Amino acid sequence: MLNKVTTILEYSRILSLPVSFACWMVIFTYSALVAGHIWYGILGLICILAIHLAINILSNYFDYKGLTRNDEFDREEYLAIKDNKHRYLVSGFVKSSDLLWIASVHIFIAFAIGVFFYFKCGKVVLNIAAIGLILSSLTIFSSKIRYSELLPSLSYGPLLFCGTYLVMTKTFNTDAILLSIPYLFLSTIILYVRSIKNYNNDLDKNCISIANSFDSQLDSLIILKWLLVAVYVSPILLCLFDILDWQIFAVWATIPTALNLYKSMKECTSEKDADCEPEIYQARKIVIYYSIISVVAIILALN
């Protein structure tokens, strides 16, 4: 039973939750310091995590269904390859119905919280919910969309920030959108590094991404370079628009980590059959460190 639960958590990509939490922590702190409702913010976090897990599970579910519907799919050949993504589903250790049931629980939790916010915060919650539903649906089938790396980033960035600020303050403020810009780029970096890692696999499955639009993994790093630049330039906007003060520039302390990520990706993609799995965790660390420093900067600026 324990192994089965662990496997379902693996399909849920539970290790990606700290990124959602880190992004939420920034806008939660900002909203709380402008007289936001703290308990509503925490309830919003539960909703965000539930949706995140549901999307991850459903993405894997439909990916698995697409794999097994392929006429060239060979079950025995697939299981003979170590560490294949859907090995537990293909072997029957976990049933696809298990994934659907767990995803349904997460969706129900998010829906119940959404109904609560509708009565507490008004009809504007429906607008956030509608945008979230569209982005979630596109994310689940994003492998067929060329700019698939960008779709989940809109959820981690503007949608998460605006939604959290809205339920905590019951108002809409463009400051929340501007504050989300660095996190839009940060979450895109994580997804783009993963896309580079899956470069060859995506090509084999005819999945379209920004990364495999380039001639090689090494060539695709040009986008990663500009994303990293954008992450560290965007705090200047927060000062120019008087959202935060000079303390936010403390996030530049993470630049050496970002440079190490780029260097690691360059070395990784220069190798044949590059894996780049450690670099994905390195990208997540940048988001977490950047967020923690941002929270401290927000407290110092608004207190």
Side-chain angles (χ1 to χ4, degrees):
M1 179 63 183
L2 182 60
N3 287 338
K4 195 168 186 178
V5 171
T6 304
T7 302
I8 291 175
L9 289 176
E10 182 182 334
Y11 274 110
S12 303
R13 291 180 235 154
I14 196 166
L15 293 179
S16 65
L17 289 188
V19 173
S20 289
F21 178 78
C23 294
W24 167 86
M25 186 170 57
V26 174
I27 187 59
F28 171 80
T29 304
Y30 183 85
S31 303
L33 291 175
V34 293
H37 196 298
I38 291 176
W39 288 110
Y40 284 7
I42 294 173
L43 196 59
L45 171 64
I46 296 172
C47 183
I48 290 165
L49 298 183
I51 293 172
H52 189 162
L53 290 172
I55 291 173
N56 288 348
I57 292 171
L58 290 175
S59 295
N60 279 325
Y61 171 82
F62 286 109
D63 190 27
Y64 162 73
K65 286 296 182 182
L67 172 72
T68 54
R69 287 195 191 105
N70 192 324
D71 294 335
E72 298 180 0
F73 175 73
D74 186 303
R75 181 177 178 275
E76 299 303 324
E77 182 181 335
Y78 186 86
L79 291 175
I81 301 174
K82 186 180 179 181
D83 294 334
N84 262 328
K85 181 179 179 181
H86 301 298
R87 59 194 180 280
Y88 295 117
L89 280 170
V90 173
S91 67
F93 179 71
V94 175
K95 296 179 181 178
S96 58
S97 57
D98 294 332
L99 298 187
L100 287 179
W101 185 84
I102 297 296
S104 298
V105 172
H106 292 316
I107 292 170
F108 175 78
I109 292 171
F111 177 78
I113 294 173
V115 170
F116 172 82
F117 282 141
Y118 170 76
F119 287 109
K120 291 293 183 179
C121 304
K123 293 181 180 179
V124 69
V125 171
L126 294 178
N127 297 329
I128 298 292
I131 296 171
L133 181 61
I134 293 169
L135 285 176
S136 298
S137 301
L138 291 174
T139 298
I140 290 170
F141 301 102
S142 62
S143 61
K144 303 301 180 184
I145 303 172
R146 180 169 294 278
Y147 302 112
S148 58
E149 295 96 328
L150 300 178
L151 291 172
S153 303
L154 295 173
S155 298
Y156 285 120
L159 187 65
L160 185 153
F161 276 61
C162 289
T164 302
Y165 187 88
L166 173 65
V167 300
M168 289 183 68
T169 65
K170 299 185 181 180
T171 58
F172 177 80
N173 193 317
T174 54
D175 288 358
I177 297 178
L178 293 171
L179 191 60
S180 74
I181 291 175
Y183 303 92
L184 172 65
F185 293 128
L186 282 166
S187 54
T188 304
I189 285 170
I190 295 174
L191 297 164
Y192 192 68
V193 169
R194 182 177 292 279
S195 185
I196 295 172
K197 173 186 180 297
N198 295 331
Y199 183 95
N200 292 320
N201 288 336
D202 286 343
L203 284 177
D204 292 340
K205 295 188 294 184
N206 294 319
C207 293
I208 303 167
S209 69
I210 299 174
N212 64 27
S213 298
F214 291 87
D215 293 335
S216 69
Q217 288 175 299
L218 190 60
D219 289 343
S220 69
L221 291 182
I222 185 64
I223 299 294
L224 177 61
K225 180 190 293 185
W226 285 110
L227 285 171
L228 289 169
V229 169
V231 164
Y232 293 102
V233 169
S234 51
I236 298 174
L237 294 176
L238 300 181
C239 289
L240 289 177
F241 285 97
D242 201 28
I243 297 171
L244 293 175
D245 293 330
W246 60 268
Q247 293 94 338
I248 191 61
F249 294 125
V251 297
W252 287 351
T254 62
I255 289 178
T257 309
L259 292 175
N260 285 335
L261 169 65
Y262 185 80
K263 182 181 177 182
S264 297
M265 286 298 297
K266 199 168 183 179
E267 293 173 354
C268 172
T269 54
S270 299
E271 300 172 2
K272 187 178 180 180
D273 300 322
D275 180 27
C276 305
E277 185 67 32
E279 283 70 22
I280 294 175
Y281 293 104
Q282 194 174 352
R284 288 175 181 165
K285 285 180 181 179
I286 294 173
V287 178
I288 294 170
Y289 297 156
Y290 194 104
S291 299
I292 292 171
I293 294 172
S294 295
V295 167
V296 175
I298 289 170
I299 293 171
L300 293 175
L302 300 184
N303 264 346

